[in-house]
Amino acid sequence: ACAKACELLRAERWLGVMYELGVMPNAICYNAVIHACAGAGDPERAADWLDHMVQRGVKPTVNSFSAVMDVVAKNGDVAAAERWLQRMEREGLEPDVV
């Protein structure tokens, strides 16, 4: 819900609450935060959260990468979008068609 309303800080806060309670966020939780970053037009923050999920041992999904690629492309950085696509493929994920 936070991601849909582009409430980035609130989405990040909920992830923090999960950690405090000892609940390990899954890819869906991280994707909500990544989408909130994308909705706020913050590609660096979206990328940081994708990297954070990997560091925590959570495998990104096509949805994770798509959100990052979308926001970097919308900001005019096509080269970054291509790098994210290549990284996604190195992770063994197939791009889907939307």
Side-chain angles (χ1 to χ4, degrees), residues 1-41:
C2 297
K4 291 189 187 297
C6 296
E7 295 182 44
L8 175 55
L9 296 177
R10 189 170 170 209
E12 290 176 327
R13 194 172 326 117
W14 273 111
L15 217 57
V17 168
M18 291 179 75
Y19 283 122
E20 290 171 12
L21 295 174
V23 176
M24 179 65 170
N26 61 18
I28 294 168
C29 299
Y30 277 105
N31 287 348
V33 176
I34 293 168
H35 278 276
C37 295

Side-chain angles (χ1 to χ4, degrees), residues 7 13 28 30 33 35 47-48 53 75 82 85-86 91 96:
E7 295 182 44
R13 194 172 326 117
I28 294 168
Y30 277 105
V33 176
H35 278 276
D48 286 346
M53 76 187 289
N75 281 351
E82 290 175 351
L85 176 63
Q86 292 167 354
E91 295 276 335
D96 55 7

Side-chain angles (χ1 to χ4, degrees), residues 12-93:
E12 290 176 327
R13 194 172 326 117
W14 273 111
L15 217 57
V17 168
M18 291 179 75
Y19 283 122
E20 290 171 12
L21 295 174
V23 176
M24 179 65 170
N26 61 18
I28 294 168
C29 299
Y30 277 105
N31 287 348
V33 176
I34 293 168
H35 278 276
C37 295
D42 193 338
E44 291 83 15
R45 207 165 187 169
D48 286 346
W49 277 108
L50 194 149
D51 288 335
H52 182 78
M53 76 187 289
V54 171
Q55 291 165 2
R56 291 284 188 154
V58 179
K59 184 169 175 53
T61 65
V62 171
N63 198 359
S64 311
F65 285 100
S66 295
V68 176
M69 286 185 281
D70 182 55
V71 70
V72 296
K74 283 181 178 172
N75 281 351
D77 193 348
V78 176
E82 290 175 351
R83 286 191 302 273
W84 280 103
L85 176 63
Q86 292 167 354
R87 179 175 168 185
M88 182 180 77
E89 290 172 336
R90 281 194 310 270
E91 295 276 335
L93 297 171

